[in-house]
């Protein structure tokens, strides 16, 4: 019995050894033929034929020869050896996978998909066929691609189907489905790039708290990963948690591996400094964004706008208005809001000035609102209302009636509205009160009373109007 036992053990060991040796031999053969084909030796065809004769019974070697030909874009010879491999062993999955890869090189996605599906049929435990099928169909039919991966899950429960499904939906631009699958995956098993895409999807959806939770997990696992540091930096900035944003800005710029700093990075650095009320540093970063921006017009205009706002917050109105004027000129289409912002800067500047400088600055604001009336008729009531306020600021004692023509124009515009605006009555009351007071000072009681009565028509309990009318 002992002798038989040792004999059986020897046979098993010999069998194992022979199998292992065969696999090693096949790998060596495949490496040899790959080198011959790649280096294009003068007698390469003869060498390959000799290797084929010695190994034509082995499907893995035949596929190896075909793969070597495909690597040098020789699809004809690659196809020849694929067919030989399938004839030798029709259940050898790698042969069908190679056939699909050949069709990919030939830009024939439909045929490639069919070959990959055959691989899953003949070799159902091999994940490569499922993965390739899913990859080739990921853009045209992501749902079909993921369904094929679910077949793989039944064959190989250990295979990371969820993360691949998430990546497929990522490529298809379906963020909701991608996130659905990312959420099923244990983050501890994710690589850095997978955590980046997971966090980025939430960022793109504007869900910054969720994005931050993922990116910060990644920060702990991959502290020097620039993409993860960048997303955390951007998330904190969007959440207006500026001190933490600045901390991660420093990690991105100074504590990450192989970091390529972009114009957008400088732009966000400016946002963070601005939010933290460090306006000089913000301006520096916005200028760096401009200097590093090659062709992103949206970011260029955004940087100019933010530089102007930072100067305004500093109280440097000259630079604020000059920069904002550059911003307006950089826009392909200017809005009424843009005009109002620039005029507002001049008004804020004027409030801090006196004498001739103040008057000149108010007049600049007035000129902008006058232009706004011409360019944006739908905003004429607002712009005229602002011009009336400027007139009052230039003539607070109503000696010259600087606001009078603007209030009269405002009444005309509002009366012409086909649909009543929510602020129309308030603005009419203000205009009537001003004109009532103006004519009262002019001792034109009849005209003044007419305006005071108009106030009461809108606001019957207006105490100022009642007193002016002696009621």
């Amino acid at each position: 019995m002992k002798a038989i036992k040792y004999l059986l053990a020897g046979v098993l060991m010999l069998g194992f050894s022979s199998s292992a040796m065969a696999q090693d031999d096949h790998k060596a053969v495949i490496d040899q033929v790959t080198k011959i084909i790649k280096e294009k030796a003068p007698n390469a065809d003869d060498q390959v034929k000799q290797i084929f004769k010695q190994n034509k019974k082995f499907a893995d070697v035949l596929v190896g020869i075909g793969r070597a030909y495909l690597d040098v874009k020789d699809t004809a010879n690659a196809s020849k050896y694929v067919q030989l491999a399938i004839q030798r062993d029709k259940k050898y999955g790698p042969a069908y996978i190679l056939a699909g890869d050949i069709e990919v090189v030939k830009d024939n996605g439909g045929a490639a998909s069919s070959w990959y599906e055959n691989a899953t049929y003949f070799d159902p435990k091999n994940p490569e066929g499922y993965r390739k099928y899913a990859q080739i169909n990921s853009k045209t039919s992501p749902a079909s691609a993921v369904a094929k991966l679910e077949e793989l899950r039944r064959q190989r429960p250990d295979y990371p189907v969820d993360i691949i499904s998430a990546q497929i939906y990522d490529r298809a631009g379906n963020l909701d489905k991608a996130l659905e699958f990312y959420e099923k995956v244990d983050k501890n098993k994710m690589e850095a790039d997978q955590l980046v895409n997971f966090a980025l999807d939430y960022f793109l959806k504007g869900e910054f708290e969720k994005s931050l939770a993922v990116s910060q997990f990644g920060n702990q696992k991959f502290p020097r990963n620039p993409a993860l540091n960048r997303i955390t930096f951007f998330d904190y900035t969007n959440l207006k948690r500026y001190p933490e944003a600045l901390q991660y800005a420093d990690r991105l710029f100074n504590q990450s591996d192989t970091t390529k700093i972009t114009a957008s990075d400088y732009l966000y650095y400016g946002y963070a400094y601005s939010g933290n009320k460090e306006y000089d540093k913000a301006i520096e970063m916005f200028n760096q964004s401009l200097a590093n921006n090659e062709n992103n017009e949206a970011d260029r205009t955004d940087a100019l706008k933010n530089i102007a706002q930072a100067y305004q917050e500093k109280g440097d109105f000259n630079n604020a208005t000059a920069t904002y004027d550059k911003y307006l000129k950089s826009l392909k289409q200017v809005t009424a809001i843009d005009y109002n912002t620039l005029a507002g800067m001049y008004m804020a500047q004027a409030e801090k000035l006196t004498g001739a400088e103040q008057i000149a600055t108010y007049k600049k604001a007035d000129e902008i609102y006058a232009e706004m009336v011409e360019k944006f008729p739908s905003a004429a009531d607002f712009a005229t209302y602002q011009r009336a306020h400027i007139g009052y600021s230039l003539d607070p004692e109503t000696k010259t009636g600087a606001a009078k023509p603007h209030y009269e124009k405002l009444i005309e515009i509002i009366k012409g509205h086909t649909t009543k605006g929510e602020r129309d009555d308030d603005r009419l009351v203000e205009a009537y009160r001003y004109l009532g007071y103006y004519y009262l000072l002019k001792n034109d009681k009849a005209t003044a009373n007419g305006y005071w009565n108009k106030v009461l028509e809108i606001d019957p309990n207006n105490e100022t109007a009642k007193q002016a009318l002696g009621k």
Side-chain angles (χ1 to χ4, degrees):
M1 284 293 293
K2 185 179 285 188
I4 294 172
K5 180 178 177 182
Y6 283 124
L7 179 61
L8 286 173
V11 169
L12 288 172
M13 289 178 68
L14 180 62
F16 173 79
S17 175
S18 298
S19 174
M21 286 173 64
Q23 289 176 4
D24 288 343
D25 287 346
H26 288 184
K27 183 180 182 306
V29 170
I30 293 168
D31 288 344
Q32 179 189 2
V33 78
T34 300
K35 184 177 180 182
I36 291 168
I37 292 169
K38 183 178 179 181
E39 293 181 354
K40 299 180 180 179
N43 61 342
D45 290 343
D46 293 336
Q47 292 186 65
V48 172
K49 285 178 183 177
Q50 186 62 34
I51 292 170
F52 166 69
K53 287 179 182 179
Q54 295 170 355
N55 295 275
K56 60 185 178 181
K57 294 182 179 181
F58 306 117
D60 60 332
V61 175
L62 298 175
V63 167
I65 297 171
R67 177 70 64 186
Y69 276 118
L70 183 61
D71 287 344
V72 296
K73 302 294 188 293
D74 184 345
T75 55
N77 271 315
S79 297
K80 170 186 170 182
Y81 283 95
V82 161
Q83 293 305 318
L84 290 169
I86 291 173
Q87 288 170 16
R88 181 62 195 165
D89 184 355
K90 72 176 183 179
K91 292 186 177 181
Y92 189 61
Y96 297 99
I97 292 167
L98 175 57
D101 292 348
I102 293 168
E103 296 302 329
V104 169
V105 170
K106 293 159 68 175
D107 199 24
N108 192 343
S113 180
S114 295
W115 282 114
Y116 294 143
E117 190 160 26
N118 285 339
T120 68
Y121 176 77
F122 288 109
D123 193 3
K125 297 292 183 183
N126 184 347
E128 192 67 5
Y130 299 92
R131 190 183 68 79
K132 293 267 190 175
Y133 177 93
Q135 186 177 26
I136 201 73
N137 289 284
S138 62
K139 287 189 176 180
T140 56
S141 181
S144 170
V146 171
K148 181 60 69 174
L149 290 174
E150 290 301 326
E151 292 179 22
L152 172 59
R153 193 198 299 274
R154 291 191 289 273
Q155 294 288 341
R156 290 279 302 273
D158 60 309
Y159 202 75
V161 166
D162 289 323
I163 193 68
I164 298 172
S165 298
Q167 291 167 333
I168 285 170
Y169 279 117
D170 252 339
R171 284 193 291 272
N174 190 333
L175 301 185
D176 289 330
K177 291 296 290 184
L179 287 166
E180 178 186 322
F181 281 97
Y182 278 127
E183 288 290 358
K184 295 178 182 180
V185 182
D186 181 355
K187 290 197 291 292
N188 289 291
K189 296 180 180 179
M190 287 189 186
E191 297 299 324
D193 63 318
Q194 294 165 346
L195 288 166
V196 167
N197 289 331
F198 188 6
L200 183 60
D201 284 354
Y202 273 129
F203 177 87
L204 293 173
K205 283 176 62 65
E207 297 185 41
F208 303 121
E209 289 283 6
K210 290 182 178 180
S211 175
L212 181 63
V214 176
S215 66
Q216 287 226 284
F217 178 90
N219 295 143
Q220 298 300 315
K221 192 174 180 182
F222 307 102
R224 295 189 63 84
N225 182 277
L228 287 166
N229 285 333
R230 176 178 286 112
I231 293 174
T232 300
F233 164 33
F234 285 14
D235 281 330
Y236 273 132
T237 304
N238 286 321
L239 291 168
K240 299 184 179 180
R241 294 169 61 176
Y242 300 117
E244 293 111 315
L246 291 169
Q247 176 189 343
Y248 273 87
D250 180 67
R251 285 181 63 163
L252 171 63
F253 276 68
N254 303 309
Q255 301 174 51
S256 295
D257 294 327
T258 60
T259 307
K260 182 180 179 181
I261 300 300
T262 69
S264 294
D265 295 331
Y266 287 113
L267 194 60
Y268 261 84
Y269 219 152
Y271 296 154
Y273 273 130
S274 217
N276 211 43
K277 302 187 185 306
E278 297 181 66
Y279 300 116
D280 287 330
K281 291 180 179 178
I283 291 165
E284 179 186 347
M285 289 300 159
F286 289 133
N287 278 318
Q288 284 287 347
S289 179
L290 289 172
N292 287 274
N293 190 323
E294 294 181 0
N295 51 23
N296 190 323
E297 290 299 322
D299 279 1
R300 287 188 66 82
T301 56
D302 195 22
L304 285 169
K305 183 178 181 179
N306 278 279
I307 291 170
Q309 290 172 342
Y311 275 126
Q312 184 179 21
E313 292 294 334
K314 280 184 63 181
D316 185 346
F317 292 103
N318 288 331
N319 275 316
T321 52
T323 307
Y324 202 85
D325 189 57
K326 287 181 185 177
Y327 159 72
L328 290 181
K329 289 174 180 172
S330 74
L331 295 176
K332 291 181 180 177
Q333 186 172 359
V334 182
T335 68
I337 293 172
D338 296 321
Y339 272 82
N340 181 51
T341 301
L342 180 56
M345 286 181 175
Y346 279 116
M347 290 177 73
Q349 181 181 12
E351 288 171 5
K352 297 182 180 297
L353 299 172
T354 58
E357 284 186 316
Q358 184 183 60
I359 293 169
T361 305
Y362 270 129
K363 285 185 175 179
K364 285 181 181 178
D366 183 70
E367 289 170 5
I368 294 167
Y369 282 122
E371 190 175 348
M372 185 174 164
V373 171
E374 295 296 321
K375 289 183 178 292
F376 306 98
S378 62
D381 51 350
F382 172 80
T384 304
Y385 181 65
Q386 294 300 104
R387 294 189 75 189
H389 284 186
I390 293 170
Y392 184 78
S393 296
L394 290 167
D395 178 31
E397 295 180 4
T398 320
K399 290 180 178 179
T400 64
K404 176 177 176 289
H406 304 305
Y407 277 122
E408 288 173 337
K409 184 63 177 178
L410 179 63
I411 293 167
E412 179 187 331
I413 293 170
I414 293 175
K415 289 294 187 182
H417 284 175
T418 55
T419 303
K420 185 177 180 179
E422 60 180 20
R423 297 179 182 175
D424 283 0
D425 282 348
D426 289 341
R427 288 175 178 172
L428 282 174
V429 166
E430 182 179 320
Y432 291 145
R433 282 180 57 182
Y434 175 88
L435 292 168
Y437 183 67
Y438 171 81
Y439 281 108
L440 185 65
L441 292 179
K442 295 293 183 183
N443 295 316
D444 186 347
K445 191 173 182 182
T447 304
N449 286 349
Y451 283 113
W452 293 122
N453 279 312
K454 287 181 182 293
V455 171
L456 292 176
E457 287 174 12
I458 298 171
D459 181 11
N461 297 314
N462 190 284
E463 289 300 324
T464 304
K466 285 181 179 181
Q467 290 175 14
L469 292 167
K471 294 183 180 181

